[in-house]
Structure formats: structure tokens, C-alpha cells
Amino acid sequence: MPRRNAPSSIIRRLPVYLRILDNLIKKDVEIISSRTLSSQTGFTAEQIRKDLAFFGAFGTRGTGYNAVYLREKLLKIIGLDKETNVIVVGAGDMGKAFGRYNITKNPYIRVVGMFDVNPEEIGKEVEDLIIEKLDKIPEVIKKYNVRVAILTVPAREAQSVVDQLINEGITAILNFAPTKINVPDTVHVHNTDLTIDLQSLIYYTSTEEKTLI
Amino acid sequence: MPRRNAPSSIIRRLPVYLRILDNLIKKDVEIISSRTLSSQTGFTAEQIRKDLAFFGAFGTRGTGYNAVYLREKLLKIIGLDKETNVIVVGAGDMGKAFGRYNITKNPYIRVVGMFDVNPEEIGKEVEDLIIEKLDKIPEVIKKYNVRVAILTVPAREAQSVVDQLINEGITAILNFAPTKINVPDTVHVHNTDLTIDLQSLIYYTSTEEKTLI
DNA sequence: CTGTGTGAAGGAGTTCACAGCG
DNA sequence: CGCTGTGAACTCCTTCACACAG
């Protein structure tokens, strides 16, 4: 469907549109304009139209976008029209949080496995999952056709775990380990690093004080 | 110290440099080149030099950067030369994870309070913190001069909590609630949204399969 | 006359190529 | 001669302005 490689900046906004659409459809909204999407997302209306137009002309001039139709298009573009299974590697506090809290409430994505090295953690239940040893990963990947992994292991273990995961067929990694991980071009990584995020926020609090003086 | 408003893209890389420097200094490395930083961070050497040069000439031509000196400069630029206190609002799994796991190990940042609305959670201990009611926030903010909050409440509560926090003096928010929050220009927000991150990753796994066909 | 779709202009950040200094 | 520091070229995205369709 994409005419050429879509800019990652667009790709990161699509799920935002999808979420707004889901909410509005629940409220029986049928038609939605780029202006409405703009006020709910904070992106400009022009940008939203450009983003959507990148994948095709989904709207009706003078009217707006049909919410249900646009939602279906977005699902297809993102790849959420079929269920996606993911695994969580690293069953620390953070991993457990993802295992139960965030994802189970998401209609499109399902956590099908949770893994850790720590023998004390093995066998513990997190929601409907049982924490297993890392060497069970290949089995689960095969059974559920998993391509996406959430990585919440300590920094020093990250690279070796990543190497294993890639070897076993993972092609996308959501990395919460506070370190750079090396992957081949075929694998996509998104890094989220609390320390980096916090420290860069602190920059703004301190410069604000400076400029006020 | 910044000559003009620093681009946020630079600001987000500074903590990465800092982390590498900390690691290298522990190994008694004294001089470090932009090339070394490049291989450890994945950013290009030119970019790293530009980033650092934005704040001043910290290196020595022909040699490189003095690790300890550069670290001190970075601490000062980011605002980590003095201890920064933060609070966590929302003591769900995610909030608890941040309360104990990630931040207590960070030498520059200290979590000084953890808050929730749920009466069942109040009084529970997380590491050396006791979960308190939201109305205790002003007290803690005053006592510890807090400017930064980590927000891990459900989406529907986010905006009202944010309004309170800003009212009480918070100027920077690390937002984990899966929703857009509205703040005045004086307040900085960084959004981290697991669902958005996962869904955009999934885009790449599905397009990869398409292009292989 | 409303709201989408889009070429053109503009802006922000990155890469290049090299000057400058130890 | 090595590695930093930096103007200039370039690339990518965003904003603007308007044509176009209902």
C-alpha cells in the first residue's frame, strides 16, 4: 500500500490517529475532520491530511473522513488487521508491568510469553502468563509466530539476549534496557530509556531557571 | 551557557554521552575521541562534535576530549550538577517499577515521593518510599523543591492530575499515560507510550513481509 | 462554501569537507 | 599528522497556500 518507504515520523503518528478514532467511534461519531483530529492530537490539520494522503485519498472533500473506514485503513496500513503476538523478555518490575497492565487492555496486541533468567522468578504467574526460562523462547516464537519482543533486561545482558532473539526470528524490538543494542538492518529497534528521558527533561527545568534570572 | 535555545535533538543525546563517559571513566579512560563516542552511541562522530561544540570548545585538537572534564561540562549543561528530586504519580505496576528499579540506581536523580488515588495502595511501601494520597503532593514538592513528575496514571485521570501538578509548581512531566496532556508553554512534557511504540514497530514487521513477497 | 489533497516554500537538523590547532 | 571545530551543501519534514471536489 505505501507508495514508497514511509517516513518514520508518519508511522509514529498513525497509532495516535487510530486511538482517537477508536474513542470517537465508541461515541458513535461517523465523520471526522482533520481539524478534529488536530485538536485531539496536537498535530496540525495539514500534517494529518498529508500523513493520510501519503497512503491514499481516504477522505471526502467538503465533508471529512468516515471514521470506521479510516480506522480500517489505518489498521491495515499499520498491520493490526491481524492479531499480533509479542513476548516480554525480562520479568523485572518493568516487564511485569507490561505483561499485565498495558498490553492486555489493548485489543490488537497480545503478550504470549514472559521470560527471565532469574531461577526465583521462573514459574511465577503474571496475569495469565507463567514466567519461563529463556530457553523456552524458540518454542513460544514458533507456536505463536512471534516477531516482536519487549526487552526489559538489565543493560549488561541486553546484547546477548538480543542476539538470541534475532537468531530465533524476532524482527522488531522494543528496548527498555538502558544501553545501545546492535542489530542487523533487517531488525527494527525502538529505544525507550527512562534515564535519558528524565535527564533531558531536567535540562529544561534548569535552563528555565537560568533564563528567569 | 547555551548560546541560543538548544535543539531538542541535541538535548536528547547529551545524556547518552554522559552515560558512556561514566562507564569509560570507571575504566580509567582519560581521553576520549568523537570516534570512540560514535562507536559506542551509534551517532556519527561529526554529529557528536557539533553537539558538544554547540555549548563550547571542550576538546583538544589532535587529541580528543578529556573524559572527566567533558563529564563535568555535560553535568552542568544538563543541570545534573545538583541533585534533582522527582515524584511518581500513579503507583500502579509501572509507577512502582520506576519507584524502585530504574531510578534508585541513578546517581543524579532521586525519587522523593510516590502517590496514588487508590485507598488500598496508600501506605504500602515501595523500596524506601510510602505510597501517599495525592493531596500530600504539595507538601512533598515544597519540602524537596520538586520540579519533575513521572506520570503513570490511567489516561482518563491524566489531565486533571497534570493540572494539579502544574498548579503546585511542577515544570516538567514524563508522561506514561496513553493520552495527550495539555500544558502551558512553560511546562515541558515528554511522552512515552507503549502502545504507540509497539504499534509503530508492528508496521515494520508487516511491511517487511510485504516487501519479501 | 466546506474540508480534502498537494505542489511549492520554508525550516530544522544532519552530513560533508576542510580549515585550524595541538 | 590527528582530531576538533565549523561554514556550506544537502536532506528530510513541516507549513503554507491554494486548487479541487462534494
Side-chain angles (χ1 to χ4, degrees):
Chain A
M1 187 175 292
R3 286 172 278 208
R4 49 188 170 95
N5 270 349
S8 61
S9 49
I10 294 185
I11 299 310
R12 288 196 54 75
R13 285 190 293 267
L14 298 182
V16 182
Y17 305 147
L18 179 61
R19 175 181 291 160
I20 307 289
L21 284 171
D22 279 345
N23 289 341
L24 291 176
I25 288 168
K26 258 180 223 154
K27 294 177 189 162
D28 296 318
V29 174
E30 287 178 8
I31 301 293
I32 182 170
S33 69
S34 59
R35 233 202 170 105
T36 316
L37 279 170
S38 172
S39 75
Q40 300 226 18
T41 58
F43 309 133
T44 67
E46 300 89 320
Q47 187 169 55
I48 292 167
R49 293 202 299 277
K50 265 248 153 87
D51 285 355
L52 300 177
F54 183 90
F55 299 97
F58 302 142
T60 310
R61 299 189 185 209
T63 312
Y65 300 89
N66 177 296
V68 171
Y69 178 73
L70 182 56
R71 175 179 167 277
E72 264 162 34
K73 285 294 182 186
L74 284 176
L75 287 177
K76 192 128 196 177
I77 292 166
I78 299 172
L80 294 170
D81 48 338
K82 53 201 174 304
E83 194 182 60
T84 302
N85 297 323
V86 309
I87 55 172
V88 176
V89 185
D93 289 308
M94 184 96 83
K96 281 175 193 155
F98 298 137
R100 60 188 148 209
Y101 174 75
N102 228 316
I103 306 160
T104 46
K105 286 178 188 163
N106 187 300
Y108 308 114
I109 298 167
R110 192 174 149 223
V111 180
V112 294
M114 179 152 236
F115 305 92
D116 205 295
V117 279
N118 184 352
E120 284 183 27
E121 294 289 331
I122 312 295
K124 282 192 188 169
E125 284 182 36
V126 176
E127 208 75 357
D128 57 342
L129 295 165
I130 294 169
I131 300 171
E132 297 182 272
K133 289 173 73 177
L134 290 197
D135 53 23
K136 296 278 186 185
I137 292 177
E139 198 178 301
V140 173
I141 287 181
K142 232 169 250 165
K143 183 170 174 193
Y144 293 101
N145 192 34
V146 180
R147 293 284 165 271
V148 182
I150 300 174
L151 189 71
T152 56
V153 300
R156 89 194 87 78
E157 292 170 25
Q159 187 60 54
S160 74
V161 172
V162 163
D163 293 343
Q164 279 180 59
L165 290 173
I166 292 172
N167 208 31
E168 289 152 5
I170 293 296
T171 60
I173 298 171
L174 188 48
N175 176 36
F176 284 86
T179 185
K180 183 191 171 238
I181 57 177
N182 297 305
V183 301
D185 295 345
T186 48
V187 175
H188 275 266
V189 175
H190 181 84
N191 296 299
T192 294
D193 191 316
L194 177 69
T195 304
I196 303 288
D197 290 344
L198 265 179
Q199 293 186 351
S200 36
L201 265 182
I202 286 166
Y203 168 84
Y204 294 104
T205 66
S206 47
T207 44
E208 227 130 84
E209 275 159 32
K210 280 173 204 158
T211 45
L212 286 176
I213 292 166
Chain B
M1 187 173 291
R3 284 172 277 208
R4 49 188 170 91
N5 270 348
S8 61
S9 49
I10 294 185
I11 299 309
R12 288 196 54 76
R13 286 189 292 265
L14 298 182
V16 181
Y17 305 146
L18 180 61
R19 175 181 291 157
I20 307 290
L21 284 171
D22 279 345
N23 289 341
L24 291 177
I25 288 168
K26 257 180 226 155
K27 293 178 190 160
D28 295 318
V29 174
E30 287 177 11
I31 300 294
I32 183 171
S33 70
S34 59
R35 229 197 173 110
T36 315
L37 279 169
S38 172
S39 75
Q40 301 227 17
T41 59
F43 309 132
T44 66
E46 300 89 320
Q47 187 168 54
I48 293 167
R49 293 201 299 277
K50 265 246 153 86
D51 285 355
L52 299 177
F54 182 90
F55 298 97
F58 301 141
T60 309
R61 299 188 188 210
T63 312
Y65 300 89
N66 177 296
V68 171
Y69 177 73
L70 182 57
R71 175 178 169 277
E72 265 163 33
K73 285 294 181 186
L74 284 176
L75 287 178
K76 192 129 197 175
I77 293 166
I78 299 172
L80 294 170
D81 46 340
K82 52 203 174 302
E83 193 181 62
T84 302
N85 297 323
V86 309
I87 55 172
V88 176
V89 185
D93 289 308
M94 184 95 82
K96 281 175 193 155
F98 297 138
R100 63 188 144 208
Y101 174 74
N102 228 317
I103 306 162
T104 47
K105 287 178 189 162
N106 187 300
Y108 308 114
I109 298 168
R110 190 173 150 224
V111 180
V112 294
M114 179 153 235
F115 306 92
D116 205 294
V117 280
N118 186 352
E120 283 183 28
E121 294 289 332
I122 312 295
K124 280 191 188 169
E125 285 180 35
V126 176
E127 210 73 356
D128 57 342
L129 294 165
I130 294 169
I131 300 171
E132 299 182 89
K133 288 172 73 176
L134 290 198
D135 52 23
K136 296 278 186 186
I137 293 177
E139 198 179 301
V140 173
I141 286 181
K142 233 168 252 166
K143 184 171 173 192
Y144 294 101
N145 191 34
V146 180
R147 293 285 164 272
V148 182
I150 301 174
L151 189 71
T152 56
V153 301
R156 87 194 88 77
E157 292 170 26
Q159 188 61 55
S160 74
V161 172
V162 164
D163 294 343
Q164 280 179 59
L165 290 173
I166 292 172
N167 208 32
E168 290 152 5
I170 292 295
T171 60
I173 298 170
L174 188 48
N175 176 35
F176 284 86
T179 184
K180 185 193 169 235
I181 57 177
N182 298 304
V183 300
D185 294 346
T186 48
V187 175
H188 275 265
V189 175
H190 181 85
N191 296 298
T192 294
D193 192 315
L194 176 70
T195 304
I196 304 286
D197 291 345
L198 265 178
Q199 292 186 353
S200 36
L201 265 183
I202 286 166
Y203 169 83
Y204 293 104
T205 66
S206 47
T207 45
E208 227 130 83
E209 273 158 34
K210 281 170 203 159
T211 44
L212 286 176
I213 292 166

